[in-house]
Amino acid sequence: ADIRTFCCSGQTVLGVDKTFMLCKMHVSVTCYKQLTVTRTLSNDNPICIGLLFIHDCSDYETYSQLFHHLRLKLAGTHFGKLVIGSDDERALVKAIVATFPESTYILCIRHLEQNAK
């Protein structure tokens, strides 16, 4: 419900990131800013975890399963204002663009800076 409310309305980005080899598996995590909560010290919204996806392959087909599941859970939602951000992992990007063609895909500047280093 939060992803539909905050991300699909264009209020915040839906972030996607994959851990590298957590044991013999990977965990891909979605996150978003929880806009109904404000931290008192920083006056910022906390970042909350959305879907967690445990997988053993990091290919287009595997990521497509994650995003097709998300699309099914968000059935009836207009995705024109949805912004999805991640690193530049090819299979991940391809699955995002194929599953949510009406949304906007952006690259995470932090990931790009780390890749450049």
Side-chain angles (χ1 to χ4, degrees), residues 25-91:
M25 305 298 282
H26 299 280
V27 178
S28 293
V29 180
T30 63
C31 62
Y32 60 93
K33 283 196 173 189
Q34 173 48 270
L35 301 177
T36 59
V37 177
T38 304
R39 293 183 170 173
T40 54
L41 294 178
S42 65
N43 204 31
D44 197 12
N45 307 106
I47 295 175
C48 290
I49 295 174
L51 262 72
L52 295 173
F53 184 56
I54 300 170
H55 50 101
D56 62 352
C57 295
S58 294
D59 58 8
Y60 167 73
E61 186 176 316
T62 301
Y63 285 123
S64 292
Q65 292 175 17
L66 167 65
F67 294 112
H68 281 287
H69 177 76
L70 179 59
R71 188 170 183 105
L72 286 172
K73 292 297 181 183
L74 297 172
T77 303
H78 178 69
F79 299 111
K81 293 183 179 180
L82 176 63
V83 177
I84 303 173
S86 73
D87 61 4
D88 199 20
E89 187 173 341
R90 289 182 185 167

Side-chain angles (χ1 to χ4, degrees), residues 10-31:
Q11 296 179 67
T12 188
V13 173
L14 177 64
V16 183
D17 197 11
K18 181 187 87 168
T19 62
F20 289 94
M21 292 304 290
L22 183 67
C23 301
K24 292 185 179 185
M25 305 298 282
H26 299 280
V27 178
S28 293
V29 180
T30 63
C31 62

